[in-house]
Amino acid sequence: MDLYEYQARELLEEHGIPTPKAIFAQNSHEVDQAAEQLGFPCVLKAQVKIGHRGQAGGVKVVKDRDDAILTSEEIFPMTIHGHKVSGLLVAEAKNIIHEYYVSISVDRSSRDFDVLATANGGTEVEVIAKEHPESVKRLHIGALEDFDLEAATTMARNIGFYHADVDQAAQILLNMWQCFKDNDATLVEINPLAKIGDPDDESSKSLCALDAKISLDDNAAFRHDGWQRFADPVHSDPFEAQARQHGLHYVHLTGEVGVIGNGAGLVMSSLDAVSDAGKDQGNDIAPANFLDIGGGASVDVMRHSLSIVMSDPQVESVFVNVYGGITSCEQVANGILAALDELGESKPIIVRFDGNASQEGLRILNDSRRSSCMYATPWKKQHRKRYVSLQPRRRHVDDTVY
Ligand code: GDP
Ligand code: MN
């Protein structure tokens, strides 16, 4: 899960990393009040879960009350790189002397943690990294190792912080690492980590996080109260929210065929099979979702899964693909029927069962009074084409679908 800047800053503050005072606002009246409280000039920052807001006009320094209200009315309706603005952060404006970039992330290829930093931070950081790769320093923290002030100080020096900034930078790196670990993050990025203050007064200068990006590992949500504090009522998907309540691994996609299976690999292959069939037939039929019921799914798990998928108005038919290992196909079949009883009406379902209790499962489905909406049979290689190709055509078949 990605956090908004205002949420990411909260986590940084909790770990003692200095950030300018800021207030989250959801309309121009709130912007007005926040700006009044913080004083002018201040910065208005569009809250979207995507970078490069500055270049897209989503970050503006305002000088007085009228400027704040007018500018906020320009930013609120904006869509930045496809993301609708969900609020504005009103922040104290700081005088920037220099912009650094620092991040800590999970490095999947080396299976450890990656600290990236450059003394040339700011909005052009990607361009600079491309044209002057030598200016970006990279250090690793071993997966089983930790990080202390001594290591952080060496790192701050190697990374290219100016001498006067090394001690504070080391403390910030150490606090970022603590923040990264405590929150089960996959990314903690500060850009710019700015040197602020009066250029002529050395004692006024200090480092401060002006922007932050944090991604959290969804698999660790259970250790953090489900991250309810970061729930996004404006932009959350109701089907994903419902699935989460039932502990299901569900991702909403854009197509018409609901897909339910056990095991992420099998579900992914099922998604591919459905979209390949759509392409083959030239009608662009595509999967409506990813839903993995996991191993050993019970009647209830299947019932909730099918209910969520069927209640999606976008879904026109459902493909259930279960390979029974510890999961019993009999349980899955009973779950399907329980869901259909609950829902009343049904949409066409294609079921493929194999493995544990597949014959029993298929018999339950074929003997049920719901068999008219079902095409259930053991998986045979020669049938593969039929399974997937039947879905888009079902509209042309009479009452007994398929
Ligand atoms: P991003 O474009 O989404 O990364 O948004 P940022 O929050 O990083 O802001 C973009 C740029 O706006 C920064 O690199 C700064 O140069 C500038 N900026 C952000 N906050 C301030 C501030 O308090 N004062 C000044 N003068 N500039 C700021
Ligand atoms: Mn930034």
Side-chain angles (χ1 to χ4, degrees), residues 256-313:
E256 305 77 5
V257 183
V259 177
I260 303 174
N262 64 329
L266 183 61
V267 182
M268 297 287 264
S269 319
S270 309
L271 299 185
D272 285 348
V274 169
S275 37
D276 282 351
K279 280 187 203 123
D280 280 356
Q281 290 163 116
N283 54 12
D284 277 340
I285 293 280
N289 67 273
F290 167 102
L291 203 171
D292 172 15
I293 58 172
S298 64
V299 172
D300 271 350
V301 166
M302 190 59 211
R303 184 169 60 89
H304 291 140
S305 300
L306 199 58
S307 301
I308 291 168
V309 171
M310 288 264 197
S311 62
D312 179 356

Side-chain angles (χ1 to χ4, degrees), residues 5 45 51-54 59 122-123 189-192 210-213:
E5 178 196 5
K45 311 181 81 177
H52 302 294
R53 298 165 302 169
V59 178
T123 49
E189 179 192 87
I190 302 179
N191 185 32
L210 290 198
D211 182 22
K213 210 183 274 174

Side-chain angles (χ1 to χ4, degrees), residues 30-42:
E30 286 179 13
V31 169
D32 183 26
Q33 286 181 325
E36 199 63 32
Q37 204 175 319
L38 296 170
F40 292 98
C42 58

Side-chain angles (χ1 to χ4, degrees), residues 306-325:
L306 199 58
S307 301
I308 291 168
V309 171
M310 288 264 197
S311 62
D312 179 356
Q314 185 187 307
V315 166
E316 294 182 25
S317 63
V318 182
F319 179 29
V320 178
N321 193 358
V322 171
Y323 183 85

Side-chain angles (χ1 to χ4, degrees), residues 24-255:
F24 180 64
Q26 283 182 299
N27 53 53
S28 53
H29 176 64
E30 286 179 13
V31 169
D32 183 26
Q33 286 181 325
E36 199 63 32
Q37 204 175 319
L38 296 170
F40 292 98
C42 58
V43 198
L44 304 189
K45 311 181 81 177
Q47 296 301 288
V48 278
K49 293 184 177 183
I50 187 103
H52 302 294
R53 298 165 302 169
Q55 287 148 337
V59 178
K60 290 270 164 65
V61 179
V62 292
K63 58 182 188 312
D64 57 32
R65 199 172 165 190
D66 285 349
D67 196 8
I69 296 172
L70 286 175
T71 308
S72 76
E73 282 169 356
E74 276 167 29
I75 301 180
F76 275 118
M78 279 170 79
T79 298
I80 297 178
H81 309 304
H83 293 243
K84 250 187 96 28
V85 171
S86 12
L88 276 190
L89 191 67
V90 186
E92 277 181 315
K94 296 290 186 185
N95 184 46
I96 302 177
I97 301 168
H98 188 79
E99 296 187 331
Y100 294 100
Y101 168 99
V102 276
S103 74
I104 302 180
S105 57
V106 172
D107 185 338
R108 289 177 211 283
S109 54
S110 56
R111 299 183 186 182
D112 58 11
F113 304 102
D114 222 7
V115 183
L116 279 182
T118 170
N120 306 313
T123 49
E124 300 290 319
V125 70
E126 282 95 348
V127 181
I128 291 169
K130 214 169 173 183
E131 290 173 3
H132 301 281
E134 73 289 349
S135 71
V136 180
K137 306 286 184 216
R138 183 182 191 146
L139 290 140
H140 290 271
I141 303 174
L144 300 175
E145 284 162 28
D146 210 356
F147 193 51
D148 57 18
L149 191 59
E150 200 187 328
T153 308
T154 313
M155 195 172 275
R157 277 201 201 102
N158 293 343
I159 276 165
F161 279 94
Y162 293 117
H163 182 70
D165 300 332
V166 165
D167 288 347
Q168 206 199 344
Q171 193 57 53
I172 288 175
L173 279 171
L174 200 59
N175 294 354
M176 277 173 81
W177 172 242
Q178 202 59 44
C179 176
F180 183 91
K181 281 198 305 183
D182 289 354
N183 292 291
D184 286 307
T186 53
L187 170 74
V188 174
E189 179 192 87
I190 302 179
N191 185 32
L193 174 61
K195 184 166 182 168
I196 52 166
D198 176 354
D200 299 323
D201 175 5
E202 207 48 49
S203 66
S204 72
K205 296 178 189 173
S206 66
L207 295 176
C208 182
L210 290 198
D211 182 22
K213 210 183 274 174
I214 293 185
S215 303
L216 304 172
D217 183 349
D218 288 320
N219 294 313
F222 73 97
R223 292 208 283 231
H224 304 270
D225 253 351
W227 277 311
Q228 284 173 28
R229 62 189 282 204
F230 300 129
D232 185 353
V234 185
H235 285 104
S236 78
D237 180 289
F239 299 99
E240 290 186 0
Q242 225 183 321
R244 209 173 307 125
Q245 274 178 8
H246 292 294
L248 298 167
H249 298 282
Y250 171 99
V251 181
H252 207 183
L253 305 170
T254 53

